[in-house]
Amino acid sequence: MTDKTIADPIAGRSWKLGHDIDTDQIIPSQYLVLGSLAQMATHCLETQRGDFAKECRPGDIVVAGRNFGCGSSREQAPIVLKTLGVGAIVALGYARIFARNAINNALPVIVLPEAEQIADGSRLRLDLAEGVLEDLDAGRTYRFEPLAGLPGRILEAGGLINYLRAEQTA
Amino acid sequence: MGMTLTEKIIARHAGLDHVKPGQIVSAKVDLCMANDATMRLNVDIFENKVKATRVFDPDRVILIMDHQVPADSPQTAEVHDLSRRFAERYGLTYFYETEGICHQVMVEKHVEPGMLVVGADSHTNSYGVIGAVSCGMGSTDVVAVMVRGETWLQVPHSVKVELTGSLGAGVYSKDVILNLVKRTTVSGLTYKAVEFTGPGLDGIAVPQRFTLCNMTTETGAKSSMIAPDAATYDYIRAVRGSAPEPDPTLFSDPDAVYEQTYRIDLGSLTPQVARPHSVDNVVDVGETAGVAIDQAFLGACTNARIEDLREAAKVMDGRKVAKGVRFMVTPASRSVYLQGMREGLLDTFMSAGAIVNHPGCSACWGACQGVLAAGQTMISSGNRNFKGRAGSADSNIYLSSPATVAASAIAGKITDPREFLR
């Protein structure tokens, strides 16, 4: 798992999900005891999208509705998404703990009021620094507020641990 | 301008005179709790990524095994062993393996009014019941606190829930919070600090207030708060033998700003039930009457305290669990279990045909005891009815008060507890 910088565009297909996707759906509780994140990741979203763990490619983008990541504090949820190569999440909104966990793991979480307009399987191109999401199949461009402040700096540093390390050596 | 109690406590821990909603601060943390559900990841981050060699204070980093106790598989046993060795290696003063559910143990033994507490569990905001600011976090954030003893926080906007009147027979704080989640929806209070207030609180005992704070998580809230009163200190004294001196500064200023106010007349409430698969899918118990159940579960950090056992036992008394129904009772902690034994409540449940389990999270999260098969239905006193949370993705979970759970266990279908309390 290598962390790209915020300046690198993310390109992949959209995986469309609904509202209130909870962390039990992202990684069901019975798999949390598995020894490796790679093993856990094979069960990611299996009750929602049976093909997700097998078919997800690096750069693919999860597109969801309201309250994405609600439920448990388990950080395994954003980590398994990242392990499968998910480049970013685009949603109407996020549960608090999930959003923070995602940023801590350098997984961009973008709030986009037009998320529901994006079709499943669309080719997307995301520029985080510019705040632009292009839907190449639909020929549409969406603009969003790039993540700013401390959360933005954590994301840019490649996650909380890198951020704290950099802070210590600064 | 005045501050809410939540803002006051955050300001105090950030070393500031005043904070306002939206402000990002760095705050000192009093207690940091983690449990077995995420310890494998916590240890990996602590030792392999952060390469930490010590915790900030061995008295203030508390590990509690509760999600899969006793171990139900070699992998779970390994997580417990990993946690035990972590506690030994860094000299942690408190490592609980068999005491009960983390939030119950924290409230019984550790949390004090005015504290700032974080935990590696989404229901950590329960400690608002003691007048502490508390919130759940993921592993990286929790490890950062274990090492540094501080964290960054965005000061939440506060929302007031004003309670008036008193609860009728067969209606409990669980019905109050289910009704509130219905009104707010499961994301309506995302990132807010919820403060329960009003004269209605006087009639709700501290253990029942716990249920209110616990389920604010299901509105998306960051934290919950009930300003400490005489009942709070009495409760602490009752469970610990002593209590800290009451701090007269722990109240919300009269001119504190609330983004929104919800008002609930307790006397107008009826028993409530959350239907599958969302906690805000709440209806009057009458609307679910007749839904057949395979399992009834009285447990979870939401509702497995001694008062919950007493209310359920009142319903159960002299009656039998319906044929074909498994009724599982899992007290929240060792002290609740012992008290339930002394009062004969566990006898009542076992005689009625129930199973009484060792304290732990149990069927609420579906990774160990009482897992549901495809097509099965459970009524639970827990806090979540997500699809597949307690077993098969094709099972159904309904949420209710312990009395409604007990009434349903007797009837074999979802039942208004008032039918058995007349």
Side-chain angles (χ1 to χ4, degrees):
Chain A
M1 190 160 61
T2 55
D3 290 327
K4 292 181 169 188
T5 76
I6 202 163
D8 297 327
I10 294 161
R13 296 163 306 163
S14 70
W15 288 86
K16 199 75 188 287
L17 301 167
H19 299 302
D20 303 317
I21 298 297
D22 58 68
T23 53
D24 285 72
Q25 289 166 17
I26 299 169
I27 176 65
S29 49
Q30 62 264 39
Y31 305 120
L32 292 176
V33 293
L34 294 177
S36 83
L37 289 159
Q39 276 173 287
M40 257 184 245
T42 63
H43 299 284
C44 181
L45 288 166
E46 68 183 11
T47 60
Q48 292 294 307
R49 297 290 301 258
D51 50 345
F52 183 76
K54 267 205 187 85
E55 303 293 328
C56 183
R57 300 282 171 264
D60 280 0
I61 293 173
V62 168
V63 180
R66 290 185 299 270
N67 204 24
F68 186 84
C70 60
S72 165
S73 65
R74 65 187 70 157
E75 192 164 320
Q76 291 93 335
I79 294 176
V80 292
L81 289 168
K82 221 179 156 178
T83 303
L84 292 174
V86 169
I89 305 170
V90 172
L92 296 181
Y94 299 89
R96 182 186 68 82
I97 301 175
F98 180 86
R100 193 162 161 155
N101 285 344
I103 292 163
N104 283 345
N105 285 283
L107 174 62
V109 280
I110 287 138
V111 176
L112 190 75
E114 299 93 344
E116 284 179 302
Q117 293 175 19
I118 298 168
D120 188 49
S122 282
R123 285 177 301 140
L124 302 178
R125 192 173 178 283
L126 179 66
D127 188 328
L128 285 173
E130 292 295 318
V132 174
L133 175 69
E134 288 174 86
D135 183 335
L136 302 176
D137 286 334
R140 287 204 192 109
T141 299
Y142 304 99
R143 293 191 176 275
F144 57 88
E145 209 51 52
L147 205 57
L150 182 59
R153 293 200 296 278
I154 293 172
L155 191 63
E156 210 163 341
L160 183 68
I161 292 165
N162 287 352
Y163 176 81
L164 293 177
R165 269 200 204 122
E167 197 190 35
Q168 264 161 12
T169 53
Chain B
M1 199 197 299
M3 287 189 286
T4 65
L5 180 52
T6 300
E7 290 158 4
K8 278 187 189 178
I9 294 171
I10 292 174
R12 196 177 287 185
H13 287 80
L16 301 169
D17 291 333
H18 197 274
V19 295
K20 60 177 197 298
Q23 187 178 346
I24 290 181
V25 301
S26 183
K28 295 243 184 276
V29 172
D30 293 306
L31 300 172
C32 176
M33 184 279 297
N35 63 44
D36 50 338
T38 56
M39 266 311 279
R40 193 193 285 279
L41 189 55
N42 299 345
V43 173
D44 179 49
I45 294 170
F46 189 98
E47 299 191 335
N48 301 328
K49 298 209 166 65
V50 177
K51 299 187 196 305
T53 53
R54 54 181 286 276
V55 299
F56 82 103
D57 183 343
D59 288 338
R60 292 171 184 270
V61 175
I62 299 167
L63 296 192
I64 305 177
M65 306 296 103
D66 64 353
H67 275 60
Q68 284 160 311
V69 287
D72 60 339
S73 68
Q75 290 98 326
T76 303
E78 209 179 288
V79 170
H80 292 170
D81 198 42
L82 188 74
S83 308
R84 199 179 300 118
R85 283 187 277 117
F86 182 90
E88 283 165 8
R89 204 171 310 139
Y90 304 105
L92 303 194
T93 314
Y94 303 104
F95 175 73
Y96 299 109
E97 220 180 324
T98 57
E99 290 305 299
I101 308 176
C102 60
H103 305 308
Q104 180 68 17
V105 173
M106 288 295 284
V107 164
E108 284 179 3
K109 297 179 189 286
H110 294 285
V111 181
E112 292 183 3
M115 278 186 167
L116 179 66
V117 185
V118 303
D121 189 276
S122 60
H123 290 101
T124 301
N125 53 355
S126 301
Y127 316 156
V129 66
I130 296 290
V133 172
S134 56
C135 65
M137 289 181 155
S139 297
T140 301
D141 276 322
V142 158
V143 167
V145 174
M146 282 180 178
V147 176
R148 294 155 60 93
E150 61 178 53
T151 190
W152 67 270
L153 293 171
Q154 183 165 23
V155 180
H157 288 270
S158 288
V159 166
K160 188 189 281 192
V161 180
E162 207 166 74
L163 306 177
T164 57
S166 54
L167 293 164
V171 188
Y172 308 90
S173 60
K174 180 60 160 284
D175 302 303
V176 179
I177 191 66
L178 285 175
N179 187 265
L180 182 69
V181 179
K182 175 188 187 172
R183 290 171 63 184
T184 63
T185 79
V186 290
S187 58
L189 301 184
T190 297
Y191 220 95
K192 311 294 181 201
V194 180
E195 182 172 332
F196 294 95
T197 179
L201 271 179
D202 294 343
I204 303 178
V206 173
Q208 301 308 296
R209 295 176 184 179
F210 191 126
T211 308
L212 297 175
C213 292
N214 176 267
M215 282 191 73
T216 57
T217 309
E218 271 57 58
T219 68
K222 176 194 183 84
S223 63
S224 64
M225 177 56 67
I226 294 175
D229 58 11
T232 315
Y233 292 98
D234 287 347
Y235 170 82
I236 297 173
R237 202 169 297 114
V239 294
R240 293 180 208 166
S242 66
E245 273 301 302
D247 179 344
T249 66
L250 296 179
F251 62 91
S252 291
D253 293 325
D255 58 344
V257 177
Y258 295 89
E259 204 178 57
Q260 204 176 350
T261 299
Y262 291 86
R263 292 189 176 82
I264 300 178
D265 170 14
L266 300 178
S268 71
L269 290 177
T270 53
Q272 306 281 292
V273 175
R275 295 183 293 190
H277 299 287
S278 185
V279 186
D280 58 9
N281 191 10
V282 173
V283 293
D284 183 275
V285 64
E287 288 184 48
T288 56
V291 172
I293 57 161
D294 302 283
Q295 183 162 292
F297 174 57
L298 168 52
C301 53
T302 326
N303 274 112
R305 281 167 281 282
I306 192 67
E307 295 74 6
D308 299 315
L309 268 51
R310 284 181 193 140
E311 294 302 332
K314 260 186 224 166
V315 173
M316 218 67 222
D317 195 28
R319 301 186 172 96
K320 294 280 180 202
V321 173
K323 195 169 186 297
V325 172
R326 300 176 301 283
F327 180 31
M328 292 179 37
V329 179
T330 310
S333 69
R334 177 183 296 277
S335 83
V336 171
Y337 197 109
L338 280 166
Q339 185 66 20
M341 271 197 332
R342 287 187 201 110
E343 294 185 19
L345 306 175
L346 305 189
D347 193 324
T348 301
F349 295 128
M350 288 299 282
S351 301
I355 309 160
V356 179
N357 295 304
H358 182 80
C361 299
S362 189
C364 179
W365 90 309
C368 49
Q369 303 149 332
V371 173
L372 300 174
Q376 291 193 326
T377 296
M378 167 168 80
I379 187 158
S380 161
S381 70
N383 44 36
R384 285 182 178 148
N385 59 353
F386 298 162
K387 191 173 165 64
R389 177 165 170 91
S392 166
D394 296 319
S395 60
N396 290 312
I397 306 167
Y398 291 75
L399 304 175
S400 73
S401 76
T404 302
V405 167
S408 305
I410 296 162
K413 57 190 186 197
I414 299 181
T415 300
D416 188 332
R418 295 174 297 187
E419 287 182 26
F420 294 107
L421 292 170
R422 284 182 191 125

